[in-house]
Structures are given as structure tokens and as C-alpha cells.
Amino acid sequence: MSALDAPIIVASNRGPVTFERDDSGELSPRRGSGGLVTALVGALQASRGLWVAAAMSEGDREVVARDGRGLVDMEAYGWPYRVRYLDIPPVTYDAYYNGILWFVHHYLWDTVRSPSFDDDTVRAWGEYVEVNRTFAQALAEEGDQQRSQPVFLIQDYHLSLVPRFLRELRPDALIAHFSHTSFAGATYMRTLPGTIREGIIRGLLGADVLGFHSQAWAENFMMSARPLQGVRADLARSRILVEGREVLVRIHPISIDVGPMREASASSEVRELRKNLNRWRGNTRLVVRVDRFELTKNIARGFRAFGLFLRRHPEWQERVRFLALLSPSRTEVPEYRAYAEECMAEADAVNREFGHQGWEPIEVRVKDDHAGAIAAYGLYDVLLVNPIYDGMNLVAMEGPVLNRRHGVLVLSRNAGAYWRLGRYALPVNPFDLGEMADGIATALDMPADERARRARGLSRLVLSNPPQRWVGAQLDDLERVRRRRVVVHVS
């Protein structure tokens, strides 16, 4: 059977739905949003496939407790696919989820002081290995239940070891792994203990196809794999030879599901929010950022850069406002709480220096507010997206397809989205306050025809790459692998 027609089994840390109790006390699913869920659920429904994920809510854990396996047929809720939840003990989950890999792939360590790997690191790594092995065993079990050879689509860095563990259990499996984060360069990867670094690389090399959002992340992986014994990295052909197998390294940037966002933008709730925002902004121009309070998002430097912009360009004082819509993230992690406080302090410092009665340069709104973000996307003159490093960054795509003012995108060169959108954005170095300040000034002073040209280009690029194309590209890659195997077997 073609990989394009085969049953699909997806694995990710978070599933497509979360079970919660409704007003009647019954467990009911709440579907997640975003391009990943949209793309994969569409493919799952077409193949009546299965999604394996960690239980996230108490409702998910209740589902597992019902039969011990955690399998739910979503047909009962109108969706022709199944979900299997894995109930991972909280202590184990914390070590697996909040470990070191996020920090290494986003270059977050202050290397003068951290990291310092010790016995706690060894224990946390052991938990990460155990969770990945649990996922691989569940995938193998579900693969054995299929009438024909399934394809396995494994998503993100949380499950970097699953491809190798699954390969050991099912040597002939068709396996793709996609990294939704950035991938650290070879030099920075050497910060990790050797066993962990090599474990991650060899774990990923268990796949047939490795996918990344950007050429930079794909090249970083290949350069990290290159020194390992028995590994031959062919950069020119984007493939790696290991253990007699060929691993394809591919670049498939994900996109957003535009339809639901535009429907939300036309809703009465968002229309009212836009009116309120217009009243609030008055006659000023509007700079917007939409982010989680996440270390990688570079929020504090963004505020400092805006302060530098006002200092360099006093003619813009009282003529521009900066609206930052920020949602809480990982509040249980001390570094994240400290960073949120630092960001608020930076905004306050700018407001103290430049603000006065009737005009406050920066307004920070901290809450999960999807509708508010949709409304702000429609009204910005400048959208600031300046992450330190980011696997993709969907805000850089959401804003341009909803904006009504030919707003300009100021975009970090270290965002995966830059690889696709950079030609129509204003690129900036996310560590250079001066360059970011100049980017804001250039965007505000840009002639109307140039703003329109760039805005049209951004929107066109996003619309030309729907999420379904992203998952289809991964299946096409696996089909090439399958055909090659058939040719080798016949010959």
C-alpha cells in the first residue's frame, strides 16, 4: 500500500483534543487550535487514523482510567479518528517536559553560570528516556493492530528518541519525525553531556525522514550528526547514511489555517474589540506584539528597543503606541516567573521616561486573549516579531493575513518564519537594540506603496502554503522511502 493511502499514526506531547467536564458533568472533548492540529487531524480523518499523546487534563486521565489503555474513538463526537492517551506520572512528566532540550535548542543558557550538569541531570534524562520509550511502545502496539503497514508521524523535540526506539521494535516501519523548534548548532550542542547529545542525534536518526521548518535548523542538525561514528552526512543531497539506511532531511515550513482566523475576525466580538482599540489608540500609529511570556520571545529587549527608538526619534513621541498582548507561560518554572517580572519592569521604565498624562508609550495586557489578538492584528502599523530563536513563529503569519492597514512586519532573522517571509519583512538582529529601533522607525516612515507591496507579498506567501500541504509533503517523503525499499527488495 502507498504511504499516501496508509493508516496514519501521529505522536506528540499534546493531543488534538483535551477532555473536560461540561456543565452536565459529562466528559467532553475540546479541540485544540492551530496549524498543526488542523493539518494532522485532516490527514487522520482521511485515513481513520490514531493520535497518541500524553494525558494533559484530569479528564484525559479519567479516560485512561476507564480501561487502562486510554483509547477513545472520536467517531462518537463526529470526528472519524481515534486518540490514545498515555498517563505519565507527574514527577516523570515534569522532568521529561521541563528538561534541558528547550534551553539548548534556543540558546538560552548564560554559559558563565549555567548549565552545570549533575546527578539531577542524569535523573531527568532518565525520565526523558523512559517517556520516549513509553511512547514508542504504544506506537508499536497500535501499529500491530493495523491491517496494513501504517506510517508514523512523530512531532517535536519532546519525542526525539522515539524514532530509534520504534525502529528497534518495528524495523520496517515508515517513520517521519518533525522538529517544531529551532535546532541548536553543532558547537552549542556540545554544551550537552556527550551521552545526551549523542542520544538525541541517534534517536532522531531512527526516522526515515526528518523535517524542519527552516534550512538553518536542518543544516544545524546535519552538522551535529556528522561527527558521530558510522554516520555519513551528505549536505549536498540533504541525506544521512547510517546503519545501512538512508535518512532524508527535509524542509517543510508549516503555515496557519487562515479560514477560522478570518471568520473570528469578522465576528461581532472582534469587531467590538477593534472599535475599542481604535478609540484607545486615537490618532497615534500602532506597534503590536503578540506573544507568550516565553524566554525565547525576546520581549524585554523589544521594550528596550522601543525606548531607544523614542530616544532617537523624539518626533514620534505622542504619535505612536506599543500594545503588547502577552499570555502567561510555564509559570511553575522560576526562570519564567523572573523573566515576566523583568519584562514588566522594562515596559515600566520606558513609560516612566517618556510617558505623561494622556500618553503612555507601552501598554501591556497579560492574559490569554485570542479574540484580542485577532483584533490587534487587524489594526497594527508595525508588527514586532523579534524572538531570540524560534522554530517557526506563527504570529508572523497570522498578522499579515488579518491586517487592514498594510502593516509592516519587523522580523528576527532567527525566526524560522524568516526563511520563508524574509523578503517582504524588515529583518533585524534580535540582540541589536539599535537595529530593532531602526526597524521600527523604517516601518513607520515607509511610503504607502512600499507598505502595500510588502503586505501583499506576505499575505500571498501565507495563503499559498495551507497546513494540508505541510502534512502532505511529509507523506510524499515517506512514499519515496517506501518505493526505494521496494526497488531494493526486488533487486
Side-chain angles (χ1 to χ4, degrees), residues 119-142:
D119 289 346
D120 288 339
T121 309
V122 175
R123 283 191 289 271
W125 174 247
E127 302 286 16
Y128 184 86
V129 171
E130 185 58 33
V131 173
N132 274 251
R133 197 180 298 278
T134 298
F135 266 89
Q137 289 168 344
L139 292 175
E141 290 169 8
E142 296 303 332

Side-chain angles (χ1 to χ4, degrees), residues 235-263:
L235 274 68
R237 299 177 65 182
S238 296
R239 65 174 187 165
I240 294 175
L241 302 177
V242 58
E243 298 173 349
R245 295 185 302 108
E246 180 182 72
V247 180
L248 305 181
V249 180
R250 294 293 180 259
I251 303 161
H252 299 308
I254 199 170
S255 189
I256 60 172
D257 191 16
V258 175
M261 296 196 72
R262 286 186 166 170
E263 288 177 15

Side-chain angles (χ1 to χ4, degrees), residues 18 45 63 98 110 157 227 250 291 302 330 384 395 398 415 442-443 445 469 475:
T18 299
Q45 291 182 160
V63 168
N98 292 317
D110 173 7
Y157 76 102
R250 294 293 180 259
D291 276 311
R330 299 192 183 193
L384 179 61
V395 169
E398 293 169 350
T442 300
D445 288 328
R469 177 175 294 181
L475 295 175

Side-chain angles (χ1 to χ4, degrees), residues 54-66:
M56 305 299 295
S57 66
E58 288 303 316
D60 295 345
R61 294 184 183 90
E62 287 185 49
V63 168
V64 177
R66 284 176 175 176

